[in-house]
Amino acid sequence: MIFRLRPIRSTLRRLRRDRRGSVAAIFAVSLIPMLLAIGLAVDTARAYAVKSQLQQALDAAALAVGSSTGTAAELQALAQKFFDANFKPNGLASASSITVRVEGDTIVADGTASVDSTLMSLGGFGAIQVVEHSEVIRAIRGLELAMVLDNTGSMTTSNNIGALRDAARELTDILFGAQTVHPTLKIAL
């Protein structure tokens, strides 16, 4: 088979000068990048919505663990319970997970979610992994106790006032222990 260069060259020159249908050709060539750009915008918005929901659920789980005590398994179960209550499946995320670690007074919660891509899947991109992190630091703020003691006439019968004094003293001894001043405890009468 022998190619003739002259007819091919003249045909290419003629096609290069021809302006009919050029908009359709340019549109056809630019359609795929435009769809991928639109898909990137849509999928990014979906991922940010899941990221926000994931962060809120992690914060709730970490705060729940921070205000509780128990074994590592019990705290993980509590965190999962609060996470599941706050991270509802809404069609955006297909899978999610949470891990919680207690490191002294710091609770560290890490979570992941998978967001299936919509238009980005046309470009061969699968799911988007969203990862979030939350830390809660336990702090003892103290206890303020106000005891309201009844000293009316009804307390004079059956040694009620004596029992009231004993109960107030016992509560104070339980809270203060051997200390006369406690840095995080205040009692008012």
Side-chain angles (χ1 to χ4, degrees):
M1 179 180 221
I2 300 174
F3 290 103
R4 295 186 183 161
L5 294 177
R6 181 171 262 156
I8 293 175
R9 284 183 189 163
S10 64
T11 304
L12 287 175
R13 255 186 255 131
R14 205 170 2 114
L15 284 175
R16 217 176 337 176
R17 282 187 239 132
D18 190 2
R19 298 291 178 224
R20 295 174 294 170
S22 64
V23 172
I26 291 171
F27 179 74
V29 169
S30 64
L31 183 62
I32 292 173
M34 283 187 338
L35 282 177
L36 289 176
I38 292 169
L40 178 64
V42 169
D43 290 338
T44 300
R46 289 166 43 98
Y48 272 112
V50 169
K51 181 179 174 79
S52 175
Q53 186 183 11
L54 180 63
Q55 184 65 56
Q56 291 173 356
L58 274 178
D59 289 345
L63 286 170
V65 170
S67 63
S68 302
T69 58
T71 65
E74 291 171 340
L75 293 177
Q76 180 69 34
L78 178 67
Q80 188 68 49
K81 179 181 170 185
F82 272 82
F83 180 79
D84 291 341
N86 289 287
F87 193 77
K88 303 278 187 200
N90 56 5
L92 294 179
S94 61
S96 60
S97 66
I98 180 176
T99 57
V100 175
R101 296 182 319 274
V102 178
E103 301 168 351
D105 285 339
T106 303
I107 291 84
V108 178
D110 294 308
T112 61
S114 178
V115 180
D116 293 328
S117 62
T118 55
L119 295 176
M120 287 301 293
S121 61
L122 297 174
F125 297 99
I128 300 169
Q129 293 297 320
V130 178
V131 178
E132 278 300 320
H133 176 82
S134 183
E135 287 187 20
V136 171
I137 298 173
R138 290 181 183 161
I140 298 174
R141 298 280 186 227
L143 175 68
E144 294 182 11
L145 173 67
M147 289 193 279
V148 180
L149 306 176
D150 183 10
N151 61 0
T152 61
S154 65
M155 296 300 288
T156 59
T157 61
S158 301
N159 194 28
N160 289 340
I161 198 75
L164 177 68
R165 281 188 201 126
D166 292 340
R169 190 175 300 112
E170 185 178 347
L171 177 61
T172 305
D173 290 342
I174 289 171
L175 293 175
F176 276 98
Q179 298 177 356
T180 55
V181 177
H182 197 282
T184 60
L185 178 63
K186 297 176 184 173
I187 296 179
L189 290 175

